[in-house]
Amino acid sequence: MDSSVGLTSIEAKALLAQYGPNSIDTATQNSKIRLLLRQFKSPIILILFAATIVSIFVGEITDGVIILAIIIPSGLLGFWQENRAGKTMQTLMRRVQVYVEVVRDGAEIKLPIMEIVVGDLVLLRIGDLVPADLRVVKAEGLMVDESTLTGESFPREKSVGDIDSTKPLGERASELFFGTHVVSGMGQGVVVKSGKNTEFGALSREVNSRDVTTGFERGITAFGKLLLYAMLGLLSALFIINILLNRPLLDSLLFSLALAVGITPQLLPVIISVSLATGARRMAEKQVLVKRLDAIEDFGIMTVLCTDKTGTITAGVVNLDGALDVNGSPNEEVLRLAYLNAKLQRGFANPLDAAIIESVGNKFADLPVLDEVPYDFERRRLSVLVKDSEPRIITKGAFKSVLDVCSQARSGSGLVNIIGMSQKLADQFEKLSAKGNRVLAVATKVLPGETKITSSNEAEMIFEGLLVFQDPPKVDAREAIQELESLGIELYLITGDSRLAAKSIALQVGLKAETVLTGVDLSKLDEKELTQRVKDCQVFAEVDPIQKERIILALRSGGATVGYFGDGINDAAALHAADVGISVDTAVDVAKNAASIVLLDKDLRVIAEGVRLGRRTFVNTMKYVRVGISAAFGNVVSMAIADVFLPFLPLLPTQILLLNFMTDFPAVSISADSVDPEAVEQPRAWDIESIRKFMILFGLLSSAFDIVTFLVLRLGFHASVTEFRSGWFVESTLTELTVMLVLRTKRPFWRSRPGKGLLISSAILASLTILLPFTAIGRVIGLSTLTAPILLILFVLICAYISLNEFAKRHWMH
């Protein structure tokens, strides 16, 4: 195959079959088996399995089978829910595709990154993600950011040559690596490795060889483990006490293990994953795609949102309002030069060039293009060499960057020294910028006999004129910003535009713009000083990509949870630095790749709606965490007290496991629960101290009612062993079901309607719990029928329990 013309479709199809999709995903067909086995990997579950098998061998076959019949469906429930959540995320991720420009059958086409194969000829421009490991076959000022692979923050220049695999990655100038991105220039490369065979794929395999959980899940799991370790000490003591009381060894072990299963938040990671995946699906319906599940938490607790103005605060439809000479008059030649620069450059597609081309139409003829120096964020200009009457370089870029490379200006009387014109041009630039316009400059230089140019040719140029662009604020921009503020989110404007243009737009939409910090101002501040200054400034202008990142880090250092909304190559560093990076589906590849949330509509109102949905997901997750852990704590305290004073086990292991299994069903539906509007008005964060207090207060309250039930059954009704266990089983299950309905809201529970799933599942489980002692299944697991007086007193106790929880909630729940 000829690498200079790319592959044919037939060759590509064969290679795709040979090498597989271009993906670093190391998941295999065994991933579902791993997911299933993970549901049973808890040490307590494994010990319980072993003890159950022992009990079967010693003749306790019925009890052993019942225990297995409970813990196995519990694991299958977790597997089903987690597998379903995974499929949901896979479906959503397909909506954020990265496309790659390649040459196939001799033509330039765009393909999904997954379809790239070894041998493909890939075309790269500024902002593109390198889609595989490539050998460079063409490079024009090609600079690549390899920090994702090497950790090196400075871009590396790439050139044509042979691959030398003996060199370190950072020294391979003729090779491009998957996962890196182009920061300037253009190039072409032939794919030599794809997918898992790339250098980045090799690096990822080590990470993906372990089950990686999100930071949110790790925090919750850590709290669950903390609770578990505390409970294990108590359960060990219970086991020893049961042995000292001459109770059967196997029964004592199974009781302790079953109680451990009951108090351990086994489904906690599963329910969190399901809750977050459900939230992600709902957010997708509102044009918000979540790439990383724990970003939902970050989205919900965001206190600062940083954004550029184009398309978010402004309409995002840039129009060329004028092409002016140095005297401020409309000039056709300045317009023609701008058109040639915009139309002929290939390195950096952008809305400003699109506006120039659209405004000109077919007015001017194209010229042959000889060479190009692509745009980069240090020079802040772009040059093309065209074949006019003689070779001529046309440069377009930021006003000051173009003015600095000019020695003359073209006025009506001819060429004049730039020194005499500089102040006049600066005044004209400031006057136009103060109206909110984006203003660029155009310069030229004749280069006789030249066919190639570099940035060094951008010197001693002739200043030709100014280009004025308009992008007015959105009609609803002020209202959208106020909506974010009502959610506790402060908006910061960070732009590369001029100070005057940024200030004008900021004032029009209601931002505080008395102080505007520029890139020059930022360069004079150290990190500590910057952290202080960002507290008093909402508008930053004339900043480069590294300075954007510094602003984000300074805000985070000051205690803010920062979101950054960006879609350009210059936003990649800031997107990585933010707590939550937000981009749009039309963004450059590197911005979409860096973001954890991708919008299908570039609108601040979409972000506000996404924040509400994110907070709703977080609130529902916290409902399960707080209520589940407090119930677990209450259960173990109750069981511990009862076990010491009763001459028999208060509940059999099978009964404890069944109780735990039944109460898990409504918990799974908590992700779809309704949320009170006031619960999403302010940012909410994970607060272990608050959960600890909640656990102790409502856990002990639960224990108190358990003990009252214990006393009523033993002293009031003189209940037999099976009656006692039946009564306590019914009471414990019903109180767990009802407390979720009471404590899921800070309102009086009758003023906050639960979600249908939670309400219906709770009602069904409550009915089954009451009926179970009267069934054959109940008798198999050691339950017996309950008399009407016992059922009545249990009903009274549960009503009292609901009332006291409601009272405690009003006075102590924050």
Side-chain angles (χ1 to χ4, degrees):
M1 67 188 72
D2 184 356
S3 64
S4 64
V5 296
L7 300 173
T8 65
S9 297
I10 296 175
E11 290 172 331
K13 185 176 181 180
L15 288 165
L16 185 62
Q18 179 181 350
Y19 291 101
N22 179 39
S23 169
I24 62 169
D25 186 2
T26 58
T28 66
Q29 293 183 351
N30 294 324
S31 59
K32 286 189 177 181
I33 296 176
R34 289 179 61 203
L35 180 60
L36 178 60
L37 293 176
R38 194 168 68 191
Q39 310 305 316
F40 302 99
K41 72 177 183 179
S42 164
I44 292 177
I45 293 291
L46 294 176
I47 295 172
L48 186 58
F49 264 124
T52 302
I53 292 171
V54 170
S55 70
I56 292 174
F57 273 108
V58 298
E60 301 289 340
I61 297 176
T62 302
D63 285 350
V65 171
I66 292 173
I67 292 173
L68 292 177
I70 294 173
I71 60 176
I72 291 176
S74 293
L76 293 177
L77 174 64
F79 166 75
W80 176 69
Q81 287 285 355
E82 202 162 358
N83 184 54
R84 185 170 169 232
K87 287 182 177 179
T88 296
M89 289 310 300
Q90 289 175 9
T91 301
L92 294 179
M93 288 303 294
R94 291 192 195 105
R95 299 176 65 178
V96 190
Q97 288 267 24
V98 172
Y99 284 86
V100 182
E101 199 168 356
V102 301
V103 176
R104 288 269 179 95
D105 299 315
E108 295 181 10
I109 62 171
K110 286 188 175 182
L111 293 174
I113 191 171
M114 296 278 284
E115 297 181 18
I116 300 302
V117 297
V118 172
D120 261 325
L121 178 61
V122 179
L123 312 180
L124 295 169
R125 297 182 176 86
I126 186 171
D128 285 349
L129 195 70
V130 177
D133 285 358
L134 315 176
R135 174 173 57 84
V136 180
V137 296
K138 183 178 180 181
E140 298 179 12
L142 185 60
M143 301 289 288
V144 177
D145 184 338
E146 297 182 338
S147 57
T148 55
L149 196 61
T150 65
E152 175 59 55
S153 59
F154 294 100
R156 306 287 299 187
E157 185 173 6
K158 297 295 179 176
S159 58
V160 177
D162 295 326
I163 294 176
D164 184 356
S165 57
T166 62
K167 292 183 178 180
L169 296 182
E171 296 179 14
R172 300 186 197 177
S174 59
E175 192 171 0
L176 298 166
F177 301 108
F178 179 75
T180 61
H181 67 272
V182 180
V183 295
S184 66
M186 299 181 295
Q188 297 180 9
V190 175
V191 178
V192 293
K193 294 178 184 176
S194 64
K196 291 178 284 186
N197 296 319
T198 62
E199 298 291 345
F200 192 77
L203 182 66
S204 298
R205 273 196 296 275
E206 166 125 10
V207 177
N208 290 332
S209 63
R210 305 180 297 271
D211 287 321
V212 180
T213 56
T214 65
F216 182 45
E217 291 172 319
R218 285 195 300 271
I220 294 176
T221 303
F223 184 82
K225 287 181 178 179
L226 178 65
L227 176 65
L228 173 62
Y229 295 149
M231 296 305 110
L232 280 179
L234 182 56
L235 294 176
S236 299
L238 282 176
F239 176 68
I240 295 171
I241 290 172
N242 282 326
I243 297 301
L244 295 176
L245 293 174
N246 294 319
R247 290 170 183 167
L249 174 64
L250 190 58
D251 286 349
S252 299
L253 176 61
L254 287 174
F255 172 76
S256 296
L257 290 173
L259 189 55
V261 172
I263 66 169
T264 306
Q266 294 291 325
L267 280 185
L268 187 57
V270 175
I271 288 173
I272 288 166
S273 294
V274 171
S275 182
L276 294 178
T278 301
R281 188 170 61 248
R282 283 179 171 165
M283 291 171 76
E285 293 171 359
K286 298 295 184 179
Q287 310 297 299
V288 182
L289 300 184
V290 180
K291 291 173 57 184
R292 178 173 53 83
L293 280 180
D294 64 344
I296 292 178
E297 182 204 16
D298 296 328
F299 209 32
I301 63 175
M302 182 169 62
T303 57
V304 169
L305 175 63
C306 299
T307 180
D308 196 351
K309 60 184 180 63
T310 305
T312 51
I313 294 175
T314 65
V317 181
V318 181
N319 297 305
L320 180 64
D321 192 49
L324 312 177
D325 62 19
V326 296
N327 296 311
S329 302
N331 187 286
E332 285 289 294
E333 177 60 12
V334 173
L335 181 60
R336 186 180 79 92
L337 295 170
Y339 168 79
L340 290 171
N341 178 282
K343 183 70 180 295
L344 300 178
Q345 71 92 9
R346 299 191 63 195
F348 185 38
N350 62 88
L352 297 179
D353 284 353
I356 294 171
I357 295 168
E358 183 180 352
S359 70
V360 168
N362 298 319
K363 185 182 294 186
F364 304 119
D366 291 350
L367 294 176
V369 60
L370 300 175
D371 200 11
E372 175 181 346
V373 181
Y375 181 89
D376 66 59
F377 294 97
E378 289 187 15
R379 291 167 39 251
R380 301 187 70 195
R381 53 184 181 265
L382 183 156
S383 296
V384 295
L385 181 65
V386 299
K387 189 175 181 181
D388 209 341
S389 54
E390 51 186 331
R392 187 181 192 190
I393 182 174
I394 304 173
T395 299
K396 176 180 92 272
F399 171 75
K400 190 173 187 310
S401 73
V402 173
L403 183 65
D404 288 346
V405 296
C406 291
S407 59
Q408 295 177 300
R410 193 183 305 278
S411 69
S413 57
L415 298 178
V416 297
N417 192 294
I418 196 68
I419 296 175
M421 292 292 294
S422 293
Q423 188 57 50
K424 179 180 178 179
L425 291 171
D427 291 342
Q428 191 176 161
F429 169 77
E430 292 199 3
K431 182 179 179 181
L432 293 167
S433 296
K435 296 178 181 179
N437 296 309
R438 177 79 181 270
V439 183
L440 301 183
V442 179
T444 63
K445 180 181 180 181
V446 175
L447 296 173
E450 296 290 341
T451 58
K452 296 288 183 181
I453 56 172
T454 66
S455 58
S456 62
N457 294 113
E458 297 171 335
E460 302 296 319
M461 301 187 76
I462 299 171
F463 195 99
E464 299 285 355
L466 300 173
L467 304 173
V468 183
F469 299 88
Q470 282 191 342
D471 184 13
K474 290 182 177 179
V475 176
D476 63 348
R478 182 184 289 267
E479 290 75 16
I481 293 171
Q482 290 173 347
E483 185 177 1
L484 287 172
E485 290 175 348
S486 72
L487 293 170
I489 301 171
E490 195 173 13
L491 189 76
Y492 278 60
L493 175 60
I494 305 177
T495 178
D497 286 358
S498 72
R499 170 181 54 84
L500 295 171
K503 183 173 184 176
S504 173
I505 294 294
L507 290 173
Q508 290 180 61
V509 298
L511 292 178
K512 299 174 184 177
E514 293 82 3
T515 302
V516 178
L517 287 180
T518 66
V520 174
D521 298 328
L522 295 178
S523 64
K524 298 175 183 177
L525 302 175
D526 61 26
E527 304 311 315
K528 186 176 180 180
E529 292 170 331
L530 181 57
T531 300
Q532 291 299 316
R533 291 298 302 275
V534 295
K535 294 178 181 179
D536 306 316
C537 180
Q538 279 186 266
V539 182
F540 301 84
E542 301 171 21
V543 296
D544 60 34
I546 300 303
Q547 290 171 331
K548 288 185 179 183
E549 181 183 25
R550 286 189 65 205
I551 294 168
I552 302 301
L553 294 174
L555 286 165
R556 292 185 64 186
S557 296
T561 301
V562 183
Y564 184 84
F565 189 11
D567 60 358
I569 173 66
N570 57 330
D571 295 315
L575 285 166
H576 276 296
D579 291 288
V580 53
I582 308 165
S583 192
V584 289
D585 61 334
T586 56
V588 298
D589 292 347
V590 65
K592 281 194 293 186
N593 192 61
S596 50
I597 289 178
V598 177
L599 308 184
L600 302 181
D601 186 4
K602 193 175 183 180
D603 193 322
L604 292 178
R605 288 190 181 276
V606 173
I607 292 181
E609 185 62 27
V611 167
R612 289 192 184 93
L613 288 170
R615 290 179 183 175
R616 174 178 175 171
T617 301
F618 182 70
V619 168
N620 278 339
T621 303
M622 286 297 104
K623 289 176 186 176
Y624 174 78
V625 171
R626 290 157 71 97
V627 177
I629 288 179
S630 62
F633 179 76
N635 281 343
V636 73
V637 172
S638 304
M639 291 288 182
I641 295 173
D643 188 55
V644 171
F645 291 99
L646 288 175
F648 52 84
L649 296 177
L651 286 178
L652 295 175
T654 53
Q655 295 164 355
I656 296 173
L657 292 172
L658 182 60
L659 187 159
N660 186 54
F661 180 61
M662 292 176 70
T663 54
D664 275 340
F665 270 97
V668 170
S669 65
I670 196 70
S671 61
D673 190 27
S674 57
V675 175
D676 302 330
E678 63 270 19
V680 298
E681 288 179 352
Q682 293 297 319
R684 295 178 180 272
W686 172 257
D687 186 352
I688 290 180
E689 179 60 23
S690 171
I691 293 172
R692 185 186 67 82
K693 292 178 179 178
F694 189 98
M695 176 191 74
I696 294 173
L697 172 62
F698 291 97
L700 292 179
L701 186 58
S702 172
S703 295
F705 269 84
D706 285 342
I707 300 305
V708 171
T709 303
F710 157 42
L711 295 173
V712 168
L713 290 173
R714 288 296 287 172
L715 302 180
F717 288 95
H718 304 289
S720 66
V721 174
T722 54
E723 278 184 322
F724 179 88
R725 288 170 176 163
S726 300
W728 201 343
F729 177 86
V730 170
E731 183 268 347
S732 295
T733 306
L734 293 182
T735 52
E736 277 205 45
L737 294 173
T738 55
V739 79
M740 176 63 80
L741 297 175
V742 173
L743 298 182
R744 52 171 289 279
T745 175
K746 290 185 177 181
R747 294 179 177 184
F749 74 89
W750 59 88
R751 291 182 51 202
S752 177
R753 185 178 179 83
K756 287 184 179 180
L758 179 61
L759 190 60
I760 292 173
S761 61
S762 296
I764 292 173
L765 264 297
S767 301
L768 290 176
T769 299
I770 295 171
L771 292 174
L772 188 60
F774 299 89
T775 65
I777 296 175
R779 288 192 290 275
V780 170
I781 64 171
L783 300 178
S784 63
T785 56
L786 294 172
T787 62
I790 290 179
L791 288 174
L792 179 61
I793 198 65
L794 289 179
F795 175 76
V796 172
L797 286 173
I798 291 170
C799 289
Y801 177 66
I802 291 172
S803 300
L804 195 55
N805 270 282
E806 186 64 40
F807 176 81
K809 179 179 70 175
R810 291 190 192 185
H811 289 80
W812 293 296
M813 187 172 170
H814 299 292

